[in-house]
Amino acid sequence: MVYTTRSARHRALFVGAVAVMGLLTACGNGKDVQSDPVTGSGTAAPATDGASSPGAASSTPSDAGSGSAPGVSSSAPVATRSGDGSASSKDTAAASSRCHTSELRASVGRNDPGAGQENFPVVLTNKSGRTCTLRGYPGAAFVNGSGTQLGADPKRGSGAPATVTLKPGQSAWSGLTFSNPEVSGAKKATPAALLVTPPNERDHLKVTWSGGPVPVSGNSSSVTLTVVSPGTAP
C-alpha cells in the first residue's frame, strides 16, 4: 500500500478543483457561447406567374417564345441573371422592344394549298407608333361561336427563331398548316374565329375565320405553326 501524506492529498485535490472550475468557465451555461454565422451562395429561381411549374422556372428559358391563346401552352420571357444578380442589358432591351398585343393587328392571308395541305399565313402588323420586335412562335386556337376551342393545340413546326424588327405599319407572318380533312378523313369542324397570341404575350387577338373546315380529331388532325418571319407571306 502506497502511503500519501496529508499535504500531498490536499495539493492533488486543489489542482483537480482548479481544472474543473476552468472547464465550467469555458463551457458556460450555453447562453454566452456563439458560433460565427455560416454563409453560403445560391441562385434564386426567377419568379413565375403560375403558368409553369417551379421546376420549369429554374431551367434555362428557350428563346423560341410562344403565345398563349386558350388551350395553347405559353412561355413567358425570363431575364438571364448576370453575376451581380441583375438582369443583363441585352435581355432588358429585348423585353422593352417586344411588340405587345395591344400594338398589333392580326389577320389571316390567302390559302396556298398543295399536296393535300392547307397553308395559311397568320399575319401580325405593327399598328403602334413605335418600332418593336417579334421572335419565336405565336399561339393559336380555333374556336366556335361560343368561344370553345376546336381541336388540339397547334404544334410547333421546324425552324430557327430569329428576331423580326417591325417599324410602324410593317408585318411578320407565321405559317398555319394542316391536312385537308376532306382528303385525310379526319373529323372536321368549321371555326367561327382564330385566336392569335403574339410571341411571349398573354392577351390574344381574334380573327374571323373564313378558311373553311379544319381537322379537329382523328387521322392527320395536327395543325402546325412556324416561327415568325418578316413580311406577310412566303
Side-chain angles (χ1 to χ4, degrees):
M1 178 177 179
V2 178
Y3 177 77
T4 304
T5 65
R6 179 177 299 178
S7 60
R9 287 200 301 273
H10 285 173
R11 284 197 299 271
L13 290 174
F14 177 76
V15 171
V18 171
V20 171
M21 290 179 64
L23 179 62
L24 291 175
T25 302
C27 293
N29 58 10
K31 294 181 181 180
D32 298 327
V33 179
Q34 297 181 357
S35 60
D36 293 333
V38 178
T39 61
S41 61
T43 301
T48 67
D49 58 5
S52 302
S53 65
S58 63
S59 62
T60 303
S62 169
D63 65 355
S66 70
S68 57
V72 181
S73 61
S74 65
S75 175
V78 179
T80 300
R81 298 285 176 175
S82 62
D84 60 359
S86 61
S88 68
S89 59
K90 178 180 178 181
D91 291 322
T92 301
S96 64
S97 67
R98 188 176 76 244
C99 297
H100 300 295
T101 302
S102 61
E103 299 174 306
L104 299 168
R105 179 177 64 254
S107 61
V108 177
R110 185 176 61 183
N111 184 22
D112 182 22
Q117 294 290 110
E118 309 299 328
N119 305 293
F120 293 88
V122 177
V123 182
L124 293 170
T125 301
N126 182 4
K127 67 176 186 179
S128 75
R130 73 178 185 107
T131 297
C132 59
T133 61
L134 293 174
R135 181 185 178 88
Y137 295 85
F142 290 114
V143 295
N144 60 19
S146 62
T148 302
Q149 181 174 338
L150 301 173
D153 298 348
K155 297 180 179 180
R156 292 181 174 185
S158 59
T163 301
V164 179
T165 301
L166 301 181
K167 294 180 180 179
Q170 291 186 329
S171 302
W173 68 280
S174 172
L176 178 72
T177 301
F178 54 86
S179 296
N180 186 318
E182 301 290 349
V183 176
S184 68
K187 184 178 179 180
K188 62 184 179 180
T190 300
L194 177 69
L195 304 184
V196 181
T197 308
N200 298 311
E201 289 291 297
R202 301 233 174 247
D203 297 327
H204 65 259
L205 300 165
K206 187 175 182 179
V207 183
T208 300
W209 178 257
S210 58
V214 301
V216 294
S217 66
N219 183 47
S220 300
S221 60
S222 295
V223 178
T224 61
L225 282 166
T226 65
V227 295
V228 292
S229 300
T232 58

